Amino acid sequence: MSLTRASVCVFPCCAVVCGVWCVRVLVCARACVCVCMCVPVCVCVCVCMGVCGCVRVRARVILKFSWPLRAVARYIIMTGEARRACSACGHSQLQSCFLKTEWKGALRCNTCRKGKEKAKATTTINTTAAKAATCSVAVLPQAAPLDKVLEQRLHALEEMCSKQKKELEDRAGRLDAQTARIAALGRRLDEQSEQVSLLEQAIVPFLAAPLPSLTEVNVAEWCDSARPSDDEVKLAKTLVERIRGVLRLGYDYRVKRVVAGGSIEKGTAVKGRFDIDIVVIVGDFSPAKMSNYKSHFKDLVSRYVREATHGGDHPAGICFEISGVKVDMLFTGEASEVKGKEISFRDEGTRFYMAAMCEQQVAWVKERCGAVELDCIRGVKKWLKVSDEWPTDLARPSSYLVEVLVVRESLEWRLESKWEHSKIYTEKGVQRPLPDSPSNRYGLFKRLVKGLVELPTIEARFLHSPASCGGIKKPCVLDPVNPANNLLSRLDLPVIALVARTALAMTSAA
């Protein structure tokens, strides 16, 4: 393939040859020949003729992918190019080897120019090195020897260690002083504990009710003396049936059920000191109508029970005294009416439904208590609730708490003694009562009194999961039929434990 072209341009090479800038005509012919498949060769011949009469001929061969051949061809082809003498080295070299900016003045070839730049860089490096050497010479006489530097550092480390040692000694001194103060406080606490113990020994005997001497015979006699007579039980049941019939006559309010609770129904009543609990399940019960319930049923009982004397009201009902027996009437609704909430004294919306659990509590106690458990319950209740020697301002444990503690101690005693499973539980998994014997009565009574000493640290949940207990924490004795009811609430547990511990100590001394 070949290509010929012609162009008109102004080029400075004419000024180099003729000294005049002029217009030239360039005629260029190119021909490309492929020597082999991988080395194509391109030959370019250029003829340049200026107006001033100068003529130049240039030929080039371009070898692709072969730079050595390209260099040789360039050298051969370019020999016809004008040559000039370098003003620095004097060698005659091709015009293309000179810098174009120097064509009008002193000519230096590329080799001389690079050498000059190299020399200039070398001079700069030498100057910088000389300045650095000068600075080093100026500094070195002032620098300390290595031994002296190490000695200074060692001295600084010794001073720092000495300072830290002094601080540690100061801290140790302060710690010793604090230890001495703590020891002094400990001695004072021991002295105060001794004083408290002396005060307990001096004061508590006047507060603690006496217990029987803890022997099988004495415990049996004590518990037997607490059992109510047949006439008392008959009178109580007669009053329950009579009041139940009167309450069913409610005109303004529909009475769904009348449930007898308390110690008479459970069989745990103490001789001469028992009361009757009657729970009235009212239809469409509403806590907001509690005052109406009290007024209506008070008038109803007073009309049909002539010997009934109104003894006052309490938050959930009214109180009467009939034939010398105290009767508490509680008004509530069905427990199933409470949806999505737990029945608890802490909840104002559900606290009036606590009495609705009475029937389940009676069934739970009667199913697990035999003669031994009932005697122990009556004996401890006689000591706790009947004795007039207890402090009047001290809240006493409820009858239901004593009943639950007796059932718990009965179970734990047999588990600790490793009784057979069939002797502890029935086929339905319900706890069996203890066999009736003086030793069992004595052992259970003693364990129950000791259990009162441990009330400040007790935790009895009766298979209730922590999630169902409403966040109740230790110490606690949960109601077996209502996990939201802690039977230890509103009790001064340390004082009760102190009274029980003192009574046991007095019994042992006797």
Side-chain angles (χ1 to χ4, degrees):
M1 184 183 89
S2 63
L3 176 63
T4 303
R5 68 178 180 177
S7 62
V8 178
C9 62
V10 179
F11 199 70
C13 64
C14 297
V16 176
V17 178
C18 305
V20 179
W21 288 77
C22 65
V23 179
R24 69 174 185 174
V25 178
L26 177 64
V27 179
C28 179
R30 292 185 180 182
C32 293
V33 180
C34 184
V35 179
C36 65
M37 293 300 294
C38 60
V39 185
V41 179
C42 181
V43 180
C44 179
V45 178
C46 297
V47 178
C48 181
M49 181 176 66
V51 177
C52 60
C54 64
V55 178
R56 293 181 59 202
V57 179
R58 177 179 297 177
R60 294 181 181 179
V61 178
I62 301 173
L63 301 179
K64 298 181 179 180
F65 310 110
S66 180
W67 65 268
L69 295 178
R70 191 185 311 162
V72 173
R74 178 179 176 84
Y75 176 76
I76 295 173
I77 295 172
M78 299 298 292
T79 51
E81 187 178 358
R83 302 180 68 84
R84 303 294 299 275
C86 179
S87 59
C89 61
H91 294 289
S92 177
Q93 298 190 24
L94 296 176
Q95 182 174 318
S96 60
C97 295
F98 295 93
L99 288 175
K100 295 180 181 180
T101 57
E102 298 179 351
W103 283 357
K104 290 185 177 182
L107 298 177
R108 287 185 177 87
C109 61
N110 291 337
T111 304
C112 294
R113 179 180 57 78
K114 292 179 181 179
K116 185 177 180 181
E117 292 177 355
K118 183 176 181 181
K120 184 177 179 181
T122 303
T123 303
T124 304
I125 293 172
N126 293 336
T127 303
T128 305
K131 290 181 180 180
T134 303
C135 295
S136 300
V137 170
V139 173
L140 283 177
Q142 300 177 3
L146 181 60
D147 294 341
K148 189 174 182 180
V149 173
L150 293 177
E151 184 178 356
Q152 292 176 354
R153 292 185 178 180
L154 181 61
H155 182 67
L157 289 174
E158 289 177 352
E159 290 182 352
M160 184 176 64
C161 292
S162 177
K163 185 177 180 180
Q164 292 181 352
K165 183 178 179 181
K166 186 177 180 180
E167 292 179 355
L168 290 175
E169 290 177 352
D170 294 342
R171 292 182 180 178
R174 290 195 296 270
L175 287 175
D176 292 339
Q178 292 178 358
T179 303
R181 287 196 295 270
I182 292 172
L185 290 174
R187 289 192 295 271
R188 290 179 59 185
L189 288 174
D190 293 339
E191 294 175 359
Q192 291 178 359
S193 299
E194 293 178 359
Q195 294 176 1
V196 170
S197 178
L198 292 175
L199 288 174
E200 289 179 359
Q201 295 176 7
I203 297 176
V204 173
F206 295 97
L207 302 178
L211 274 172
S213 180
L214 295 181
T215 63
E216 291 186 7
V217 176
N218 291 337
V219 170
E221 292 179 354
W222 176 272
C223 295
D224 186 65
S225 65
R227 186 181 296 115
S229 63
D230 296 339
D231 294 338
E232 290 177 322
V233 175
K234 184 178 180 180
L235 172 62
K237 292 186 176 182
T238 301
L239 289 177
V240 169
E241 294 300 326
R242 184 179 178 186
I243 295 172
R244 179 178 291 169
V246 171
L247 294 177
R248 287 174 178 172
L249 298 176
Y251 300 111
D252 297 339
Y253 301 101
R254 181 172 60 90
V255 177
K256 298 176 65 175
R257 285 184 299 136
V258 177
V259 179
S263 57
I264 288 294
E265 191 67 21
K266 298 173 188 174
T268 60
V270 179
K271 183 177 181 179
R273 299 291 292 269
F274 61 88
D275 53 14
I276 299 174
D277 294 334
I278 295 179
V279 178
V280 183
I281 308 298
V282 182
D284 300 327
F285 175 77
S286 173
K289 299 179 180 179
M290 181 59 69
S291 59
N292 298 335
Y293 300 147
K294 295 178 183 179
S295 176
H296 171 73
F297 287 103
K298 180 177 66 175
D299 295 341
L300 189 65
V301 173
S302 299
R303 180 185 306 173
Y304 291 98
V305 183
R306 300 286 183 178
E307 63 272 25
T309 303
H310 181 239
D313 295 351
H314 47 79
I318 55 179
C319 179
F320 284 95
E321 185 174 347
I322 306 174
S323 301
V325 179
K326 182 182 177 182
V327 179
D328 288 328
M329 297 183 188
L330 305 175
F331 307 111
T332 184
E334 294 285 359
S336 58
E337 297 176 7
V338 180
K339 304 294 184 181
K341 290 184 178 181
E342 56 186 20
I343 300 176
S344 172
F345 282 116
R346 296 170 296 174
D347 189 348
E348 295 183 358
T350 62
R351 65 176 55 177
F352 291 108
Y353 287 90
M354 292 291 296
M357 311 298 294
C358 172
E359 193 172 10
Q360 300 179 37
Q361 293 171 352
V362 170
W364 188 88
V365 173
K366 292 177 69 174
E367 193 173 20
R368 290 163 176 79
C369 291
V372 173
E373 287 85 359
L374 294 177
D375 284 344
C376 290
I377 291 172
R378 285 190 289 262
V380 173
K381 285 176 62 176
K382 177 182 176 181
W383 175 63
L384 288 174
K385 303 179 73 67
V386 177
S387 176
D388 295 329
E389 298 184 24
W390 267 72
T392 56
D393 57 344
L394 178 62
R396 307 185 188 192
S398 65
S399 298
Y400 186 47
L401 172 61
V402 176
E403 294 159 0
V404 171
L405 289 176
V406 166
V407 175
R408 177 178 180 269
E409 292 296 336
S410 174
L411 175 62
E412 290 195 351
W413 186 19
R414 284 178 280 183
L415 292 177
E416 292 173 4
S417 303
K418 298 181 179 180
W419 284 32
E420 294 181 4
H421 186 274
S422 59
K423 294 183 179 180
I424 301 176
Y425 300 101
T426 64
E427 296 179 355
K428 296 181 179 180
V430 179
Q431 178 181 334
R432 294 180 182 273
L434 275 171
D436 188 4
S437 69
S439 60
N440 287 343
R441 186 176 289 101
Y442 163 74
L444 184 59
F445 184 87
K446 187 175 181 179
R447 284 183 64 94
L448 181 57
V449 177
K450 289 184 177 180
L452 294 176
V453 178
E454 300 173 355
L455 281 182
T457 59
I458 194 172
E459 185 176 14
R461 297 188 180 272
F462 294 97
L463 303 179
H464 295 309
S465 63
S468 64
C469 299
I472 298 176
K473 298 180 181 180
K474 183 180 178 180
C476 65
V477 176
L478 301 185
D479 186 345
V481 300
N482 183 12
N485 181 22
N486 184 10
L487 302 178
L488 297 183
S489 60
R490 297 173 293 179
L491 290 180
D492 194 344
L493 301 181
V495 177
I496 294 176
L498 176 61
V499 173
R501 183 168 59 252
T502 306
L504 282 174
M506 293 172 61
T507 302
S508 300

